[in-house]
Amino acid sequence: LEQAIDAVIRIKNLALSLRTQSKVKTRQPLSTLYVRPRDAADRKVLENAEYAAQILEEANLKHVALIEDEKSLVTVRLKPDTKKLGPRAGKFLKAIGAALQQADPAVVLKGGPYTVEVDGQAFELAPEEIVVSYEGPANLMCASAEGTFMALDTALTPELQQEGVARDFNRLVQDLRKTSGLQISDRIVVKYVVSERIAEAIEAHAGYLRNELLAERIARC
């Protein structure tokens, strides 16, 4: 159980880091988090619906999709960090770069040092001495840490945008509840004046909003 909890926390934190990098606001739901787990134990955790739901809720995502290989989504580029590795590698730096280009990214990024052999000499590369970049669809934010690869789909469909608007509306009215001095259990009626776009989002998620706001009725003026 402890190992599973640690995995959930680690994966959730990486997902949240990707959300931060994407600059998509937290209350805006996103579609899919693609994960290539670092090992069988992590895969088993993500296959557990309860653990997956925790990650989805914390990161405000709709789906977790497990993949076998990140190369099914993006092209992974590996190269040595010349500033960090250059002084130690010297004349072997170019050959190390060529070896990294031919290496399996899943093996290199599994966590811990990675060893390459150049002209009969072994070089143990620390993770921070390897620069990782990803080439793929613009909507995918990618990262790897401790052997786990993730790609976050940041594309916003009309349905996701509507849900984001509804969540913003919920937060606004929740703030009004607090400033009005209402008790947490008080039932309310909500009336609003908004643009057509926002009205459509509120109507599409009326059930969710009534439940969240303890609203007997939500009506457009």
Side-chain angles (χ1 to χ4, degrees):
L1 179 60
E2 183 177 346
Q3 184 179 5
I5 292 173
D6 287 344
V8 168
I9 293 172
R10 175 166 40 79
I11 294 167
K12 177 196 68 177
N13 287 343
L14 184 53
L16 291 173
S17 176
L18 278 176
R19 281 207 66 125
T20 299
Q21 293 176 45
S22 73
K23 300 189 185 305
V24 177
K25 61 185 179 181
T26 305
R27 285 196 295 275
Q28 172 61 61
L30 291 175
S31 173
T32 305
L33 179 69
Y34 297 93
V35 184
R36 192 266 299 144
R38 70 179 184 181
D39 54 30
D42 272 16
R43 181 173 290 275
K44 188 174 181 179
V45 167
L46 289 168
E47 288 173 343
N48 182 297
E50 183 178 344
Y51 291 140
Q54 292 179 35
I55 296 168
L56 293 173
E57 182 177 359
E58 288 283 338
N60 196 11
L61 305 172
K62 294 297 184 182
H63 310 286
V64 171
L66 297 179
I67 60 174
E68 295 294 334
D69 191 334
E70 50 264 54
K71 294 194 291 291
S72 64
L73 293 177
V74 296
T75 299
V76 186
R77 303 291 186 194
L78 303 173
K79 64 180 182 180
D81 188 315
T82 55
K83 289 184 178 179
K84 294 178 180 177
L85 188 61
R88 180 162 69 90
K91 66 179 182 179
F92 297 106
L93 184 62
K94 186 175 181 180
I96 291 173
L100 284 175
Q101 288 178 9
Q102 300 300 317
D104 182 351
V107 175
V108 176
L109 303 176
K110 67 180 180 180
Y114 177 74
T115 301
V116 298
E117 188 168 315
V118 177
D119 294 337
Q121 184 167 341
F123 285 88
E124 187 176 83
L125 309 181
E128 61 270 17
E129 292 178 319
I130 301 172
V131 178
V132 186
S133 60
Y134 303 96
E135 298 175 5
N139 59 296
L140 291 182
M141 292 289 301
C142 303
S144 60
E146 300 182 54
T148 300
F149 168 83
M150 286 189 187
L152 176 63
D153 187 350
T154 62
L156 293 178
T157 64
E159 292 77 16
L160 287 172
Q161 289 177 322
Q162 278 197 341
E163 187 173 347
V165 169
R167 287 174 179 264
D168 282 339
F169 182 80
N170 175 56
R171 173 50 53 197
L172 174 63
V173 179
Q174 294 286 14
D175 289 343
L176 287 173
R177 282 187 62 111
K178 292 177 182 177
T179 57
S180 300
L182 293 170
Q183 299 298 314
I184 193 171
S185 59
D186 287 344
R187 310 293 296 188
I188 62 173
V189 172
V190 179
K191 295 183 179 181
Y192 59 90
V193 178
V194 296
S195 68
E196 193 63 34
R197 180 181 70 89
I198 296 176
E200 289 176 358
I202 293 172
E203 290 166 9
H205 295 275
Y208 158 80
L209 290 168
R210 284 195 299 269
N211 183 63
E212 290 292 311
L213 298 169
L214 294 183
E216 299 286 355
R217 186 164 52 95
I218 300 178
R220 188 179 184 184
C221 295

